[in-house]
Amino acid sequence: MSDIWFKRKKYGWGWTPANLKGWLASLLYVVLAATITLLAPISMPAFLIGIFILTSSFIFICYKKGETPKWSWGPEKKDH
């Protein structure tokens, strides 16, 4: 991958933004989630469907534009 938006976390499983595109995608996710939350009193099923679709889309973007996730317990140790 030449343009990685998200790198693996050093501890645990998941990603963290690696460049401006990753940070913008994360910010967009937060803004859209907040917007859906503000509209929540209108309809609970619509809220749940909206959050599910938004989160699924964000995870898909992380998989496509990020490093392969794996569980880690800190920086990788190099053999001497």
Side-chain angles (χ1 to χ4, degrees), residues 5-32:
W5 293 11
F6 300 94
K7 60 183 178 180
R8 267 192 303 262
K9 289 173 57 176
K10 286 186 181 179
Y11 294 93
W13 190 92
W15 301 274
T16 185
N19 63 20
L20 182 61
K21 292 176 185 176
W23 282 107
L24 290 175
S26 299
L27 179 64
L28 180 62
Y29 173 79
V30 170
V31 168
L32 291 174

Side-chain angles (χ1 to χ4, degrees), residues 1-6 18-19 21 64-67:
M1 286 182 210
S2 61
D3 187 26
I4 295 177
W5 293 11
F6 300 94
N19 63 20
K21 292 176 185 176
K64 286 299 201 181
K65 292 295 191 175
E67 294 179 324

Side-chain angles (χ1 to χ4, degrees), residues 20-80:
L20 182 61
K21 292 176 185 176
W23 282 107
L24 290 175
S26 299
L27 179 64
L28 180 62
Y29 173 79
V30 170
V31 168
L32 291 174
T35 302
I36 292 171
T37 302
L38 290 174
L39 300 175
I42 295 171
S43 170
M44 182 56 84
F47 167 75
L48 293 174
I49 291 168
I51 290 294
F52 177 78
I53 291 170
L54 180 64
T55 302
S56 299
S57 300
F58 186 64
I59 291 171
F60 178 76
I61 290 169
C62 289
Y63 263 109
K64 286 299 201 181
K65 292 295 191 175
E67 294 179 324
T68 304
K70 70 175 187 177
W71 190 267
S72 59
W73 292 101
E76 292 185 21
K77 296 177 183 172
K78 298 188 179 125
D79 294 332
H80 295 286

